[in-house]
Amino acid sequence: MNGTCKAPKAIIFDFDGTLSTLRCGWEVVMRKLMGEILGEYITMEEIDRFIDESTGIQTIFQMKWIAEQLEKRGIAPLDPWDYKAEYNRRLMLNIEDKKQALLSGACEKETYLMAGSEELLKMIKSHGINIYVASGTDQPDVQAEAAALGLDKYFTEIAGAPLREEKCSKEAVLRRLIAQQDIPAENILIVGDGKVEIALGREAGARTLGVASNEKNRCGIDETKKKRLENAGADRIIGDYRDIADLEAWIFCE
């Protein structure tokens, strides 16, 4: 753990794979798209490695990587935003069906939440702590998905990627909390399933809780994520939020 444990005054959550499983399987969609565009030039092993290493960054930077691979081979790429638009189109076909099932009541929200997610948020709010979401997903989409899952009421702010802007919302929220709200880094907790937010939290001096979530089962440990989070230096790694009492004691340094 980074120094002496200090109870948080603010908590920043990643969203996809950390709380929500609505986007479970995004890697398959991205892998297929990248394979169609780059499969003639690089191996699928290289594509898989890049997807794993880039998990958590804004999608546009993954799409820029496609363009860079083509340019290296003397091939004129499309605008990376066009690649992103096609990726989003394919991904949202499945997500929209899930959202409609949630909104119509045909599906319980727990179907697409990591086990214990809402109980954890309720517990944190009971301590009077502000909770923020920082996501690489487009702002309107992450807001809509949080609302469909009934989680938006717990968050002071939901920050996603600005449309057609290359900004890191996770970094922006963290730095704003430290600079504008005068919250010391050691009093901020970062919770996420990707190495990007964990590494960012470590660099800033915040505490970090890695969530090595098995998104298909909504509980338990995904060993690939666990290794990724260990390498990023997470202070603690869990698979889900079922043991609320244990998490409460750890989060609030009891």
Side-chain angles (χ1 to χ4, degrees):
M1 187 178 295
N2 291 345
T4 304
C5 178
K6 294 187 177 181
K9 295 181 179 179
I11 299 179
I12 305 174
F13 278 85
D14 177 44
F15 193 70
D16 301 314
T18 298
L19 296 169
S20 168
T21 67
L22 279 171
R23 290 177 177 251
C24 178
W26 68 266
E27 302 97 331
V28 176
V29 177
M30 184 171 288
R31 184 179 194 269
K32 188 173 188 300
L33 177 65
M34 289 183 170
E36 290 174 7
I37 299 170
L38 298 173
E40 184 179 345
Y41 312 105
I42 65 176
T43 66
M44 293 308 297
E45 287 75 13
E46 291 175 278
I47 290 173
D48 289 339
R49 184 165 56 250
F50 173 75
I51 291 173
D52 178 66
E53 291 173 351
S54 64
T55 296
I57 68 172
Q58 274 185 254
T59 306
I60 187 58
F61 294 112
Q62 293 166 312
M63 301 299 104
K64 289 180 76 171
W65 182 80
I66 296 176
E68 289 166 3
Q69 298 310 304
L70 293 174
E71 288 172 343
K72 286 178 182 178
R73 293 158 177 85
I75 301 164
L78 298 178
D79 186 317
W81 292 103
D82 292 334
Y83 292 133
K84 180 180 177 181
E86 176 57 18
Y87 166 73
N88 278 347
R89 184 191 69 79
R90 297 183 185 194
L91 182 65
M92 294 306 292
L93 290 175
N94 187 31
I95 293 175
E96 284 301 326
D97 288 342
K98 295 176 182 177
K99 282 170 54 182
Q100 289 307 312
L102 286 167
L103 294 171
S104 69
C107 177
E108 297 293 331
K109 60 185 176 181
E110 287 76 18
T111 305
Y112 299 116
L113 287 175
M114 286 304 302
S117 290
E118 187 160 19
E119 291 77 8
L120 175 71
L121 296 174
K122 286 179 181 177
M123 179 272 288
I124 293 170
K125 292 300 287 185
S126 74
H127 285 263
I129 303 299
N130 286 332
I131 307 173
Y132 299 80
V133 166
S135 174
T137 298
D138 286 347
Q139 176 94 12
D141 292 333
V142 69
Q143 289 178 323
E145 289 161 34
L149 289 165
L151 299 185
D152 53 332
K153 61 190 175 187
Y154 297 105
F155 304 127
T156 299
E157 181 180 350
I158 300 173
L163 293 178
R164 295 190 70 85
E165 291 185 30
E166 296 179 10
K167 294 181 180 179
C168 176
S169 61
K170 295 176 185 179
E171 183 176 7
V173 171
L174 178 59
R175 296 196 186 285
R176 175 157 47 80
L177 281 170
I178 294 171
Q180 295 182 8
Q181 298 194 28
D182 196 28
I183 298 176
E186 59 266 30
N187 290 117
I188 295 174
L189 174 64
I190 309 291
V191 185
D193 72 320
K195 69 178 184 180
V196 171
E197 58 266 25
I198 299 302
L200 186 63
R202 293 285 294 180
E203 179 185 351
R207 293 173 68 206
T208 55
L209 178 62
V211 185
S213 53
N214 182 324
E215 295 179 54
K216 290 183 179 179
N217 295 337
R218 299 189 303 106
C219 63
I221 293 281
D222 179 297
E223 292 298 330
T224 299
K225 283 189 181 182
K226 181 181 179 183
K227 184 177 296 185
R228 184 189 301 154
L229 294 165
E230 288 173 342
N231 291 338
D235 289 317
R236 183 178 178 184
I237 298 173
I238 59 173
D240 53 63
Y241 313 109
R242 290 177 291 178
D243 194 341
I244 294 295
D246 176 67
L247 283 170
E248 183 173 23
W250 185 84
I251 290 171
F252 294 99
C253 308
E254 296 174 352

PDB file of all heavy atoms in Angstrom, residues 65-88:
ATOM      1  N   TRP A  65      -3.786   3.333 -33.474  1.00  0.00           N
ATOM      2  CA  TRP A  65      -2.787   2.273 -33.641  1.00  0.00           C
ATOM      3  C   TRP A  65      -3.012   1.527 -34.950  1.00  0.00           C
ATOM      4  O   TRP A  65      -2.050   1.175 -35.640  1.00  0.00           O
ATOM      5  CB  TRP A  65      -2.860   1.312 -32.453  1.00  0.00           C
ATOM      6  CG  TRP A  65      -1.852   0.199 -32.495  1.00  0.00           C
ATOM      7  CD1 TRP A  65      -0.540   0.275 -32.135  1.00  0.00           C
ATOM      8  CD2 TRP A  65      -2.084  -1.156 -32.902  1.00  0.00           C
ATOM      9  NE1 TRP A  65       0.065  -0.948 -32.295  1.00  0.00           N
ATOM     10  CE2 TRP A  65      -0.855  -1.848 -32.759  1.00  0.00           C
ATOM     11  CE3 TRP A  65      -3.201  -1.856 -33.353  1.00  0.00           C
ATOM     12  CZ2 TRP A  65      -0.725  -3.206 -33.061  1.00  0.00           C
ATOM     13  CZ3 TRP A  65      -3.073  -3.207 -33.657  1.00  0.00           C
ATOM     14  CH2 TRP A  65      -1.847  -3.863 -33.512  1.00  0.00           C
ATOM     15  N   ILE A  66      -4.277   1.291 -35.299  1.00  0.00           N
ATOM     16  CA  ILE A  66      -4.580   0.662 -36.585  1.00  0.00           C
ATOM     17  C   ILE A  66      -3.996   1.499 -37.718  1.00  0.00           C
ATOM     18  O   ILE A  66      -3.313   0.986 -38.615  1.00  0.00           O
ATOM     19  CB  ILE A  66      -6.104   0.518 -36.786  1.00  0.00           C
ATOM     20  CG1 ILE A  66      -6.707  -0.430 -35.741  1.00  0.00           C
ATOM     21  CG2 ILE A  66      -6.407   0.012 -38.205  1.00  0.00           C
ATOM     22  CD1 ILE A  66      -8.225  -0.534 -35.823  1.00  0.00           C
ATOM     23  N   ALA A  67      -4.260   2.800 -37.674  1.00  0.00           N
ATOM     24  CA  ALA A  67      -3.768   3.692 -38.725  1.00  0.00           C
ATOM     25  C   ALA A  67      -2.243   3.680 -38.787  1.00  0.00           C
ATOM     26  O   ALA A  67      -1.649   3.660 -39.878  1.00  0.00           O
ATOM     27  CB  ALA A  67      -4.282   5.110 -38.483  1.00  0.00           C
ATOM     28  N   GLU A  68      -1.601   3.663 -37.617  1.00  0.00           N
ATOM     29  CA  GLU A  68      -0.133   3.655 -37.576  1.00  0.00           C
ATOM     30  C   GLU A  68       0.438   2.383 -38.197  1.00  0.00           C
ATOM     31  O   GLU A  68       1.460   2.435 -38.899  1.00  0.00           O
ATOM     32  CB  GLU A  68       0.333   3.793 -36.128  1.00  0.00           C
ATOM     33  CG  GLU A  68       0.092   5.168 -35.529  1.00  0.00           C
ATOM     34  CD  GLU A  68       0.245   5.178 -34.023  1.00  0.00           C
ATOM     35  OE1 GLU A  68       0.603   4.118 -33.443  1.00  0.00           O
ATOM     36  OE2 GLU A  68       0.008   6.243 -33.412  1.00  0.00           O
ATOM     37  N   GLN A  69      -0.211   1.246 -37.951  1.00  0.00           N
ATOM     38  CA  GLN A  69       0.272  -0.009 -38.520  1.00  0.00           C
ATOM     39  C   GLN A  69       0.190   0.016 -40.045  1.00  0.00           C
ATOM     40  O   GLN A  69       1.073  -0.498 -40.741  1.00  0.00           O
ATOM     41  CB  GLN A  69      -0.535  -1.193 -37.967  1.00  0.00           C
ATOM     42  CG  GLN A  69      -0.429  -1.384 -36.464  1.00  0.00           C
ATOM     43  CD  GLN A  69       1.010  -1.396 -35.981  1.00  0.00           C
ATOM     44  OE1 GLN A  69       1.831  -2.194 -36.447  1.00  0.00           O
ATOM     45  NE2 GLN A  69       1.320  -0.517 -35.040  1.00  0.00           N
ATOM     46  N   LEU A  70      -0.872   0.601 -40.562  1.00  0.00           N
ATOM     47  CA  LEU A  70      -1.011   0.700 -42.017  1.00  0.00           C
ATOM     48  C   LEU A  70       0.011   1.666 -42.602  1.00  0.00           C
ATOM     49  O   LEU A  70       0.636   1.390 -43.638  1.00  0.00           O
ATOM     50  CB  LEU A  70      -2.429   1.138 -42.370  1.00  0.00           C
ATOM     51  CG  LEU A  70      -3.545   0.135 -42.056  1.00  0.00           C
ATOM     52  CD1 LEU A  70      -4.904   0.754 -42.308  1.00  0.00           C
ATOM     53  CD2 LEU A  70      -3.382  -1.155 -42.863  1.00  0.00           C
ATOM     54  N   GLU A  71       0.194   2.795 -41.943  1.00  0.00           N
ATOM     55  CA  GLU A  71       1.140   3.798 -42.444  1.00  0.00           C
ATOM     56  C   GLU A  71       2.558   3.241 -42.499  1.00  0.00           C
ATOM     57  O   GLU A  71       3.325   3.559 -43.412  1.00  0.00           O
ATOM     58  CB  GLU A  71       1.086   5.042 -41.563  1.00  0.00           C
ATOM     59  CG  GLU A  71      -0.188   5.869 -41.748  1.00  0.00           C
ATOM     60  CD  GLU A  71      -0.311   6.992 -40.744  1.00  0.00           C
ATOM     61  OE1 GLU A  71       0.394   6.952 -39.706  1.00  0.00           O
ATOM     62  OE2 GLU A  71      -1.115   7.917 -40.997  1.00  0.00           O
ATOM     63  N   LYS A  72       2.918   2.420 -41.503  1.00  0.00           N
ATOM     64  CA  LYS A  72       4.248   1.814 -41.494  1.00  0.00           C
ATOM     65  C   LYS A  72       4.497   0.967 -42.735  1.00  0.00           C
ATOM     66  O   LYS A  72       5.642   0.768 -43.150  1.00  0.00           O
ATOM     67  CB  LYS A  72       4.417   0.934 -40.248  1.00  0.00           C
ATOM     68  CG  LYS A  72       4.594   1.686 -38.950  1.00  0.00           C
ATOM     69  CD  LYS A  72       4.713   0.710 -37.792  1.00  0.00           C
ATOM     70  CE  LYS A  72       4.833   1.436 -36.455  1.00  0.00           C
ATOM     71  NZ  LYS A  72       4.890   0.468 -35.310  1.00  0.00           N
ATOM     72  N   ARG A  73       3.426   0.488 -43.326  1.00  0.00           N
ATOM     73  CA  ARG A  73       3.528  -0.396 -44.487  1.00  0.00           C
ATOM     74  C   ARG A  73       3.182   0.322 -45.785  1.00  0.00           C
ATOM     75  O   ARG A  73       2.938  -0.307 -46.811  1.00  0.00           O
ATOM     76  CB  ARG A  73       2.636  -1.620 -44.264  1.00  0.00           C
ATOM     77  CG  ARG A  73       3.178  -2.481 -43.118  1.00  0.00           C
ATOM     78  CD  ARG A  73       2.131  -3.378 -42.485  1.00  0.00           C
ATOM     79  NE  ARG A  73       2.725  -4.211 -41.448  1.00  0.00           N
ATOM     80  CZ  ARG A  73       2.901  -3.810 -40.184  1.00  0.00           C
ATOM     81  NH1 ARG A  73       2.521  -2.600 -39.817  1.00  0.00           N
ATOM     82  NH2 ARG A  73       3.459  -4.619 -39.304  1.00  0.00           N
ATOM     83  N   GLY A  74       3.154   1.650 -45.697  1.00  0.00           N
ATOM     84  CA  GLY A  74       2.931   2.446 -46.884  1.00  0.00           C
ATOM     85  C   GLY A  74       1.504   2.444 -47.387  1.00  0.00           C
ATOM     86  O   GLY A  74       1.237   2.734 -48.557  1.00  0.00           O
ATOM     87  N   ILE A  75       0.569   2.125 -46.503  1.00  0.00           N
ATOM     88  CA  ILE A  75      -0.843   2.060 -46.887  1.00  0.00           C
ATOM     89  C   ILE A  75      -1.580   3.240 -46.266  1.00  0.00           C
ATOM     90  O   ILE A  75      -1.431   3.513 -45.067  1.00  0.00           O
ATOM     91  CB  ILE A  75      -1.476   0.736 -46.415  1.00  0.00           C
ATOM     92  CG1 ILE A  75      -0.723  -0.441 -47.028  1.00  0.00           C
ATOM     93  CG2 ILE A  75      -2.954   0.682 -46.756  1.00  0.00           C
ATOM     94  CD1 ILE A  75      -0.993  -1.750 -46.353  1.00  0.00           C
ATOM     95  N   ALA A  76      -2.351   3.936 -47.063  1.00  0.00           N
ATOM     96  CA  ALA A  76      -3.098   5.095 -46.562  1.00  0.00           C
ATOM     97  C   ALA A  76      -4.285   4.623 -45.730  1.00  0.00           C
ATOM     98  O   ALA A  76      -5.180   3.953 -46.259  1.00  0.00           O
ATOM     99  CB  ALA A  76      -3.572   5.955 -47.717  1.00  0.00           C
ATOM    100  N   PRO A  77      -4.329   4.954 -44.439  1.00  0.00           N
ATOM    101  CA  PRO A  77      -5.447   4.518 -43.592  1.00  0.00           C
ATOM    102  C   PRO A  77      -6.632   5.461 -43.700  1.00  0.00           C
ATOM    103  O   PRO A  77      -6.522   6.569 -44.236  1.00  0.00           O
ATOM    104  CB  PRO A  77      -4.847   4.593 -42.184  1.00  0.00           C
ATOM    105  CG  PRO A  77      -3.894   5.749 -42.270  1.00  0.00           C
ATOM    106  CD  PRO A  77      -3.313   5.704 -43.675  1.00  0.00           C
ATOM    107  N   LEU A  78      -7.756   5.018 -43.170  1.00  0.00           N
ATOM    108  CA  LEU A  78      -8.886   5.915 -42.978  1.00  0.00           C
ATOM    109  C   LEU A  78      -8.591   6.812 -41.785  1.00  0.00           C
ATOM    110  O   LEU A  78      -7.643   6.578 -41.012  1.00  0.00           O
ATOM    111  CB  LEU A  78     -10.159   5.108 -42.714  1.00  0.00           C
ATOM    112  CG  LEU A  78     -10.650   4.165 -43.815  1.00  0.00           C
ATOM    113  CD1 LEU A  78     -11.894   3.425 -43.334  1.00  0.00           C
ATOM    114  CD2 LEU A  78     -10.908   4.908 -45.100  1.00  0.00           C
ATOM    115  N   ASP A  79      -9.400   7.818 -41.599  1.00  0.00           N
ATOM    116  CA  ASP A  79      -9.319   8.627 -40.396  1.00  0.00           C
ATOM    117  C   ASP A  79      -9.620   7.706 -39.205  1.00  0.00           C
ATOM    118  O   ASP A  79     -10.599   6.949 -39.231  1.00  0.00           O
ATOM    119  CB  ASP A  79     -10.373   9.743 -40.469  1.00  0.00           C
ATOM    120  CG  ASP A  79     -10.261  10.734 -39.323  1.00  0.00           C
ATOM    121  OD1 ASP A  79     -10.065  10.307 -38.169  1.00  0.00           O
ATOM    122  OD2 ASP A  79     -10.392  11.939 -39.573  1.00  0.00           O
ATOM    123  N   PRO A  80      -8.784   7.739 -38.146  1.00  0.00           N
ATOM    124  CA  PRO A  80      -9.039   6.881 -36.980  1.00  0.00           C
ATOM    125  C   PRO A  80     -10.446   7.026 -36.409  1.00  0.00           C
ATOM    126  O   PRO A  80     -11.000   6.072 -35.855  1.00  0.00           O
ATOM    127  CB  PRO A  80      -7.977   7.329 -35.974  1.00  0.00           C
ATOM    128  CG  PRO A  80      -6.855   7.808 -36.829  1.00  0.00           C
ATOM    129  CD  PRO A  80      -7.515   8.475 -38.003  1.00  0.00           C
ATOM    130  N   TRP A  81     -11.044   8.219 -36.549  1.00  0.00           N
ATOM    131  CA  TRP A  81     -12.403   8.400 -36.059  1.00  0.00           C
ATOM    132  C   TRP A  81     -13.388   7.557 -36.859  1.00  0.00           C
ATOM    133  O   TRP A  81     -14.418   7.120 -36.331  1.00  0.00           O
ATOM    134  CB  TRP A  81     -12.807   9.866 -36.112  1.00  0.00           C
ATOM    135  CG  TRP A  81     -12.036  10.713 -35.144  1.00  0.00           C
ATOM    136  CD1 TRP A  81     -11.005  11.560 -35.425  1.00  0.00           C
ATOM    137  CD2 TRP A  81     -12.219  10.768 -33.723  1.00  0.00           C
ATOM    138  NE1 TRP A  81     -10.535  12.134 -34.266  1.00  0.00           N
ATOM    139  CE2 TRP A  81     -11.261  11.678 -33.210  1.00  0.00           C
ATOM    140  CE3 TRP A  81     -13.094  10.141 -32.831  1.00  0.00           C
ATOM    141  CZ2 TRP A  81     -11.148  11.979 -31.855  1.00  0.00           C
ATOM    142  CZ3 TRP A  81     -12.996  10.436 -31.481  1.00  0.00           C
ATOM    143  CH2 TRP A  81     -12.035  11.337 -31.005  1.00  0.00           C
ATOM    144  N   ASP A  82     -13.078   7.280 -38.120  1.00  0.00           N
ATOM    145  CA  ASP A  82     -13.933   6.409 -38.926  1.00  0.00           C
ATOM    146  C   ASP A  82     -13.839   4.965 -38.433  1.00  0.00           C
ATOM    147  O   ASP A  82     -14.849   4.244 -38.386  1.00  0.00           O
ATOM    148  CB  ASP A  82     -13.538   6.487 -40.400  1.00  0.00           C
ATOM    149  CG  ASP A  82     -13.857   7.839 -41.020  1.00  0.00           C
ATOM    150  OD1 ASP A  82     -14.777   8.509 -40.516  1.00  0.00           O
ATOM    151  OD2 ASP A  82     -13.184   8.215 -41.992  1.00  0.00           O
ATOM    152  N   TYR A  83     -12.629   4.544 -38.069  1.00  0.00           N
ATOM    153  CA  TYR A  83     -12.475   3.205 -37.498  1.00  0.00           C
ATOM    154  C   TYR A  83     -13.245   3.104 -36.182  1.00  0.00           C
ATOM    155  O   TYR A  83     -13.900   2.100 -35.899  1.00  0.00           O
ATOM    156  CB  TYR A  83     -10.995   2.889 -37.252  1.00  0.00           C
ATOM    157  CG  TYR A  83     -10.166   2.734 -38.498  1.00  0.00           C
ATOM    158  CD1 TYR A  83      -8.935   3.375 -38.609  1.00  0.00           C
ATOM    159  CD2 TYR A  83     -10.591   1.937 -39.561  1.00  0.00           C
ATOM    160  CE1 TYR A  83      -8.149   3.233 -39.747  1.00  0.00           C
ATOM    161  CE2 TYR A  83      -9.807   1.790 -40.703  1.00  0.00           C
ATOM    162  CZ  TYR A  83      -8.597   2.445 -40.795  1.00  0.00           C
ATOM    163  OH  TYR A  83      -7.819   2.298 -41.920  1.00  0.00           O
ATOM    164  N   LYS A  84     -13.158   4.171 -35.383  1.00  0.00           N
ATOM    165  CA  LYS A  84     -13.876   4.156 -34.105  1.00  0.00           C
ATOM    166  C   LYS A  84     -15.385   4.087 -34.323  1.00  0.00           C
ATOM    167  O   LYS A  84     -16.096   3.372 -33.593  1.00  0.00           O
ATOM    168  CB  LYS A  84     -13.528   5.382 -33.259  1.00  0.00           C
ATOM    169  CG  LYS A  84     -14.259   5.386 -31.919  1.00  0.00           C
ATOM    170  CD  LYS A  84     -13.922   6.581 -31.064  1.00  0.00           C
ATOM    171  CE  LYS A  84     -14.746   6.545 -29.783  1.00  0.00           C
ATOM    172  NZ  LYS A  84     -14.491   7.708 -28.898  1.00  0.00           N
ATOM    173  N   ALA A  85     -15.877   4.823 -35.297  1.00  0.00           N
ATOM    174  CA  ALA A  85     -17.312   4.817 -35.588  1.00  0.00           C
ATOM    175  C   ALA A  85     -17.778   3.416 -35.965  1.00  0.00           C
ATOM    176  O   ALA A  85     -18.860   2.970 -35.532  1.00  0.00           O
ATOM    177  CB  ALA A  85     -17.624   5.801 -36.707  1.00  0.00           C
ATOM    178  N   GLU A  86     -16.991   2.698 -36.738  1.00  0.00           N
ATOM    179  CA  GLU A  86     -17.372   1.344 -37.132  1.00  0.00           C
ATOM    180  C   GLU A  86     -17.291   0.387 -35.945  1.00  0.00           C
ATOM    181  O   GLU A  86     -18.166  -0.467 -35.767  1.00  0.00           O
ATOM    182  CB  GLU A  86     -16.474   0.853 -38.269  1.00  0.00           C
ATOM    183  CG  GLU A  86     -16.710  -0.587 -38.700  1.00  0.00           C
ATOM    184  CD  GLU A  86     -18.141  -0.882 -39.147  1.00  0.00           C
ATOM    185  OE1 GLU A  86     -18.901   0.063 -39.452  1.00  0.00           O
ATOM    186  OE2 GLU A  86     -18.500  -2.080 -39.194  1.00  0.00           O
ATOM    187  N   TYR A  87     -16.254   0.552 -35.126  1.00  0.00           N
ATOM    188  CA  TYR A  87     -16.149  -0.272 -33.918  1.00  0.00           C
ATOM    189  C   TYR A  87     -17.357  -0.047 -33.009  1.00  0.00           C
ATOM    190  O   TYR A  87     -17.988  -1.004 -32.535  1.00  0.00           O
ATOM    191  CB  TYR A  87     -14.855   0.058 -33.177  1.00  0.00           C
ATOM    192  CG  TYR A  87     -14.809  -0.487 -31.771  1.00  0.00           C
ATOM    193  CD1 TYR A  87     -14.644  -1.851 -31.523  1.00  0.00           C
ATOM    194  CD2 TYR A  87     -14.959   0.367 -30.678  1.00  0.00           C
ATOM    195  CE1 TYR A  87     -14.617  -2.338 -30.224  1.00  0.00           C
ATOM    196  CE2 TYR A  87     -14.927  -0.119 -29.380  1.00  0.00           C
ATOM    197  CZ  TYR A  87     -14.755  -1.477 -29.156  1.00  0.00           C
ATOM    198  OH  TYR A  87     -14.742  -1.965 -27.877  1.00  0.00           O
ATOM    199  N   ASN A  88     -17.690   1.214 -32.771  1.00  0.00           N
ATOM    200  CA  ASN A  88     -18.832   1.530 -31.909  1.00  0.00           C
ATOM    201  C   ASN A  88     -20.135   0.989 -32.491  1.00  0.00           C
ATOM    202  O   ASN A  88     -21.006   0.511 -31.759  1.00  0.00           O
ATOM    203  CB  ASN A  88     -18.940   3.035 -31.698  1.00  0.00           C
ATOM    204  CG  ASN A  88     -18.020   3.547 -30.605  1.00  0.00           C
ATOM    205  OD1 ASN A  88     -17.472   2.772 -29.840  1.00  0.00           O
ATOM    206  ND2 ASN A  88     -17.844   4.852 -30.556  1.00  0.00           N
TER     207      ASN A  88
END
